[in-house]
Amino acid sequence: MASVVSYELERNVGVISIDSPPVNALSQVVRQGLLDAISEAQSDASDAVVIVCDGRTFIAGADITEFGKPPMEPLLPDLLDTIEASSKMVIAAIHGTALGGGLETALAAHYRCAVPAAKIGLPEVKLGLLPGAGGTQRMPRLAGVKASLDLTTSGAPISAEEGQKIGLIDKIIDGDLRTGALNWARELVAAGGAVRKSSEQVVPDFDPAIFGEYREKLAARSRGQIAPGHIVTAVEAATTGSFEDGMAKERELFVTCMNSSQSAGMRHIFFAERQAAKIEGLAKDTPKRAVESVGVIGGGTMGGGIAMCFANAGITVTMMEISDEALERGLSIIDRNYAGSVKRGKLSADKAASCRALISGSTDYAALADVDMVIEAVFEDPQLKKKIFAQLDEVCKPGAILATNTSYQDVNAIAAATRRPEDVVGTHFFSPAHIMKLLEVVRGEKTADDVLATVMALAKKIRKVPVVSGVCYGFIGNRMLRPYGKTAQLLLLEGASPQQIDAAMETWGMAMGPLRVFDLAGLDIGYKARQALSDEEKGDPKGYRVPDLLVELGRMGQKSGSGFYAYDDARQPTPDPAVDGLIEMAAADLGVERRQVTDEEIVERMISALVAEGRKILEEGIAQRSGDIDVVYVYGYGFPASRGGPMFFDDHQ
Ligand code: T1G
C-alpha cells in the first residue's frame, strides 16, 4: 500500500507529512510511515524535524477500526518512544483536532505548536478506554496532575490557547501552519534549542488527596464504567514511580479496558452514530436546500428549545404563537434557558446574547412567508397539526421544508393536509431540545430525497445526532418505550416497588429508572394519548391501570409534586406508601398475584421488552439497521453506551 507519510528535507528541517484521510488516524501504515521517517531523519542533515498533517486535521487518534483485532507492529507506544528518543528536536504542528493517540504523538515530540483554532484532547474515556500510548504519563509531567485528570476523565477537548496556558502547547502559529512551524524550528535551532523529553520532566507539585477526590466524584457519575477509575490509577502511577513503571501500569490498565465489553459497546456506538447519518439508497451528493431561516410554531418548552438549537448554529428563527401573552411566555423560556447556560458556563454571555438576537417572535403567519424551513411544535392534537400544516401550505414559499416535531403522530396524515407532501418530514426533538443530542428524522412515504438529505446535514449543523425512522406510532424510540413501560407496570402489579425497579435499572446503567422518567415527562401526557385510543388500541389494562389511577388522583408526576413518588421542592423523589396501596388494590382488581421479584428479573424483562420491539421495527424496515436503534436509545433514552444499546447488548450477551 502506498505510504501516506512523506518525508523531505527543507533546508535544515526535516518535514514529516501525514496524508491519510479522513482524519489521519494512526493506522498501521501511518505508524510504519512515521517510524521510517523519524529513522531517516536521525542520519540526514536535518537539525530539527516537524510533524505536520494534510487535510482537515492533525492526527485524530489511534485507528479505532483496528481495535479488537491482533495488534500490528510498530505498536504506538514503541513508535512514540522512538520519536521522543530522536537526536534531532521534533516539533508537532497541530491544526484541526489532536486527539487521543494524536495528542500522545505530540506529547512525545519535544515541542508543540498549533493554529489558534486547533483543539487538543484525550477522549479515550468516551470509548471505554484510557490513553494507551503515554498520555497518562507524559501529560502530568507537562500539565500537572489536576489538568491531566480533567482532560482524561472528561474526554472533552480544549482550545490551543487553553493548552498553552497549562503547558501542553508551546507556541500559537498565526497564518500558515507549515511555514510558521518551519520558521519556529529554525529559530529553536538558532537559539541552540535541544531535545526536551516529556518523560524526563518532573510532575509539578500536587496534593495526593486529589486522587481520592476524583475516584469518589467519578464513581458517582460513571454509572458502573471501569475506565474512569483506571485513568485515575494510571495518572497516579505517573507520580509514584519511574516513567517506565508508569507506562507498564498504563499498558496493563489499557489492555483491561480494551478487552472489556464496556469498550466494545462504546466503540460500537462511535461507529453506529456515524453510520446512522448515512441513508441507504440516498446518494452522498444528493442536492440540499439552503436553510438560513427557520420558523418554529409553538413557544412551549419544546418550541423554545428547538429555537435555541438553530439560533446557536447561527440560523435566524421566527417563533410563532397564537397570542402576544403566549409569545412573551415562549420568549421568556428562551431567556431563562440562555441565562442558565451562561450560569453553568456552557455559553459566554456574549455568545448567548448574539444567539438570542437571532430569535424573534410573531403571531402572524405571514411572518413565515420567506423562511426556508418551519418546525411545528404544538401539543399532540392531530387535528390541530393538520390545520397548521394546511395554513403553512398557504403561506410558505415553494421549496420551504415543513417539519413536525410530533412524538407519535402519523406524519403521512399530516403531510396529506398539504399539497406538497414531498416537502413534509418529521423532526422529533427530545426534551430539553437545546440539550438532548438525538433527533429522530421521520421519513414520510412522500418525503423528497433532498428534503431528507437537507435535514440530515442540518442536524449535524445544530449538533444533533440524526437517526432516520419510518412512519409508525411512536417511531423508533417511543414505540419501543411502550412495551418497556408496560413491563414496568406488570412488575409493579406482580410485587416490585417503583424504587426497586428504578434502582435495578439505574444500577444496571440506565441514566434514570422508568418510573422516574414517566414522572419527569408527566403522567398526563400518556393519559391524554390513551384517551384518544380505543380499549383495543390501549391493550391490556395491566399496562396502564396504575398510571391512569394516579392521574385521576391528580398525581401527574414531578410537575404536580407527586406521581409514582412524592416530590419535595427540590424535585427529589421519595417513595410514597399511598402508591404502594394503590398498586396492591389495582393488582387485586386485575387478578394479579403478588410475589417477590428479583432485580435480575426486572432488568431481564425490561431489556427483553425493548429488544423484542426493536426486532419488529427492523423487520418492518422502520429502522435502517440495528445500530440506529442503539443510537436512538443511547442518545435519547439514557441507555448506557457501555452496553452498546439494546440491540448490540442482546446480540453480544
Ligand atoms: N479511527 C478510525 N476512524 C475514525 C477515527 C479514528 N480515530 N476518527 C474518525 N474516524 C472516521 C469516522 O468513522 C468517519 O468515517 C470519518 O472518520 C469522519 O469522522 C492509543 C486508544 C476527529 C472530531 O476518539 O471524535 O487514540 O463514517 O464523521 O464530525 O491512546 O471523528 O466517514 O466512514 O466523526 O468531522 C481517540 C474520534 C481514539 C477521536 C472529526 N480518538 N474521532 O469529527 O467527522 S483512541 C478519538 C472524532 C486512541 C490511544 C487511544 C471525530 C473527529 P466515515 P466524523 P467529524
Side-chain angles (χ1 to χ4, degrees):
M1 180 170 177
S3 178
V4 292
V5 178
S6 62
Y7 178 70
E8 60 183 331
L9 197 51
E10 285 203 24
R11 288 167 44 203
N12 65 333
V13 177
V15 183
I16 300 177
S17 303
I18 304 171
D19 185 11
S20 179
V23 294
N24 292 312
L26 288 157
S27 62
Q28 191 280 336
V29 175
V30 171
R31 296 195 305 274
Q32 187 62 53
L34 263 172
L35 184 61
D36 296 344
I38 201 75
S39 309
E40 185 177 342
Q42 302 312 298
S43 54
D44 68 9
S46 63
D47 295 324
V49 179
V50 169
I51 301 175
V52 68
C53 291
D54 296 335
R56 63 176 156 163
T57 181
F58 189 75
I59 302 166
D63 186 337
I64 307 170
T65 62
E66 291 183 355
F67 293 175
K69 299 170 186 157
M72 296 179 284
E73 300 281 343
L75 299 182
L76 187 56
D78 304 335
L79 166 64
L80 300 193
D81 285 348
T82 305
I83 289 175
E84 188 178 61
S86 165
S87 60
K88 317 285 178 79
M89 283 187 286
V90 180
I91 294 125
I94 299 169
H95 76 293
T97 53
L99 301 175
L103 180 55
E104 290 173 302
T105 302
L107 298 180
H110 307 125
Y111 299 89
R112 287 152 291 280
C113 63
V115 293
K119 293 240 182 240
I120 62 173
L122 293 176
E124 286 85 345
V125 70
K126 296 181 179 173
L127 297 168
L129 298 169
L130 53 87
T136 67
Q137 304 305 307
R138 290 191 172 95
M139 187 177 276
R141 288 171 163 81
L142 296 174
V145 167
K146 182 168 183 336
S148 303
L149 285 172
D150 287 339
L151 275 164
T152 50
T153 59
S154 71
I158 58 173
S159 68
E161 190 191 344
E162 288 164 317
Q164 189 173 40
K165 280 196 196 119
I166 61 173
L168 296 178
I169 299 291
D170 301 294
K171 187 171 179 60
I172 302 288
I173 303 276
D174 292 308
D176 180 69
L177 176 63
R178 188 189 168 92
T179 311
L182 266 67
N183 290 342
W184 185 46
R186 295 193 180 106
E187 285 167 24
L188 286 170
V189 170
V195 300
R196 184 185 62 170
K197 295 184 178 182
S198 306
S199 62
E200 292 177 356
Q201 310 305 309
V202 177
V203 178
D205 290 348
F206 63 95
D207 175 355
I210 194 170
F211 298 114
E213 286 161 21
Y214 271 72
R215 281 198 178 88
E216 209 179 305
K217 192 170 63 175
L218 292 165
R221 67 167 197 229
S222 57
R223 291 161 57 194
Q225 291 180 30
I226 62 171
H230 286 332
I231 288 173
V232 177
T233 305
V235 172
E236 188 170 23
T239 67
T240 55
S242 69
F243 177 74
E244 289 66 29
D245 295 343
M247 285 299 284
K249 189 67 180 174
E250 179 192 272
R251 176 59 28 182
E252 173 206 323
L253 296 168
F254 178 78
V255 171
T256 302
C257 289
M258 177 65 85
N259 296 334
S260 71
S261 62
Q262 292 188 353
S263 181
M266 295 169 89
R267 293 182 333 243
H268 162 69
I269 290 295
F270 177 86
F271 288 114
E273 175 187 335
R274 285 149 183 84
Q275 196 61 15
K278 301 179 176 117
I279 303 176
E280 279 150 16
L282 205 72
K284 225 178 172 184
D285 58 359
T286 300
K288 301 176 183 65
R289 301 184 189 180
V291 178
E292 276 138 32
S293 59
V294 165
V296 175
I297 314 281
T301 310
M302 289 308 291
I306 294 169
M308 291 174 70
C309 292
F310 288 92
N312 294 355
I315 296 170
T316 59
V317 180
T318 305
M319 173 176 278
M320 288 293 302
E321 258 296 356
I322 49 176
S323 69
D324 291 337
E325 297 72 43
L327 186 58
E328 211 36 58
R329 241 191 341 269
L331 294 173
S332 64
I333 290 175
I334 294 173
D335 292 336
R336 264 203 317 277
N337 287 344
Y338 275 125
S341 298
V342 172
K343 197 159 160 235
R344 289 192 307 279
K346 297 277 181 206
L347 273 182
S348 70
D350 289 352
K351 174 74 179 166
S354 63
C355 294
R356 177 62 183 83
L358 292 172
I359 303 174
S360 60
S362 177
T363 57
D364 182 354
Y365 268 74
L368 301 178
D370 294 322
V371 296
D372 300 318
M373 179 174 185
V374 179
I375 299 170
E376 163 274 313
V378 302
F379 56 88
E380 294 286 7
D381 173 348
Q383 297 320 315
L384 174 62
K385 289 182 187 287
K386 288 175 192 164
K387 187 165 151 268
I388 288 172
F389 273 73
Q391 220 168 340
L392 292 174
D393 195 17
E394 293 303 325
V395 297
C396 291
K397 68 180 180 184
I401 294 175
L402 307 180
T404 171
N405 179 54
T406 181
S407 309
Y408 294 91
Q409 309 295 341
D410 182 346
V411 173
N412 293 324
I414 293 172
T418 73
R419 287 158 298 173
R420 49 174 121 177
E422 67 282 2
D423 296 335
V424 177
V425 65
T427 51
H428 177 208
F429 289 77
F430 287 74
S431 181
H434 62 296
I435 293 172
M436 292 295 283
K437 289 192 66 141
L438 182 66
L439 180 68
E440 273 185 327
V441 177
V442 185
R443 182 183 199 167
E445 60 198 19
K446 296 198 174 134
T447 302
D449 286 355
D450 67 336
V451 168
L452 212 51
T454 303
V455 172
M456 295 301 279
L458 195 58
K460 202 160 183 181
K461 186 171 178 184
I462 63 172
R463 299 171 170 278
K464 298 298 180 194
V465 175
V467 175
V468 174
S469 172
V471 174
C472 66
Y473 190 79
F475 317 130
I476 297 173
N478 284 344
R479 174 173 162 180
M480 290 167 69
L481 199 62
R482 286 184 74 197
Y484 178 77
K486 184 176 173 206
T487 305
Q489 299 309 324
L490 294 175
L491 287 160
L492 282 176
L493 294 171
E494 292 167 23
S497 67
Q499 57 273 25
Q500 182 195 4
I501 295 173
D502 284 346
M505 297 310 291
E506 289 164 20
T507 305
W508 190 79
M510 296 298 287
M512 190 182 276
L515 289 316
R516 286 182 56 209
V517 168
F518 297 142
D519 272 357
L520 180 66
L523 303 178
D524 53 326
I525 308 275
Y527 182 81
K528 279 198 200 118
R530 280 189 294 278
Q531 300 320 303
L533 302 176
S534 66
D535 282 354
E536 197 203 333
E537 288 169 325
K538 278 199 280 189
D540 181 348
K542 296 191 194 81
Y544 57 84
R545 173 65 56 81
V546 172
D548 277 7
L549 291 171
L550 290 172
V551 172
E552 284 151 13
L553 285 170
R555 302 177 68 113
M556 317 289 192
Q558 273 197 19
K559 60 183 155 189
S560 68
S562 67
F564 286 100
Y565 297 89
Y567 291 88
D568 61 21
D569 296 346
R571 295 198 170 210
Q572 289 309 306
T574 309
D576 187 337
V579 175
D580 301 333
L582 184 145
I583 294 170
E584 282 164 29
M585 188 189 71
D589 187 37
L590 292 161
V592 178
E593 203 178 313
R594 299 193 38 92
R595 58 182 177 82
Q596 283 298 319
V597 179
T598 65
D599 290 359
E600 292 70 31
E601 180 186 350
I602 290 170
V603 172
E604 198 282 324
R605 285 173 60 184
M606 295 290 291
I607 301 301
S608 302
L610 272 182
V611 171
E613 196 65 25
R615 300 257 175 250
K616 289 186 201 153
I617 282 174
L618 281 172
E619 279 155 27
E620 295 167 25
I622 296 292
Q624 297 185 91
R625 48 187 89 85
S626 64
D628 290 12
I629 296 177
D630 292 330
V631 171
V632 163
Y633 261 74
V634 166
Y635 283 112
Y637 296 82
F639 196 98
S642 58
R643 298 206 187 255
M647 310 316 282
F648 180 87
F649 173 74
D650 190 58
D651 291 341
H652 290 78
Q653 59 165 352

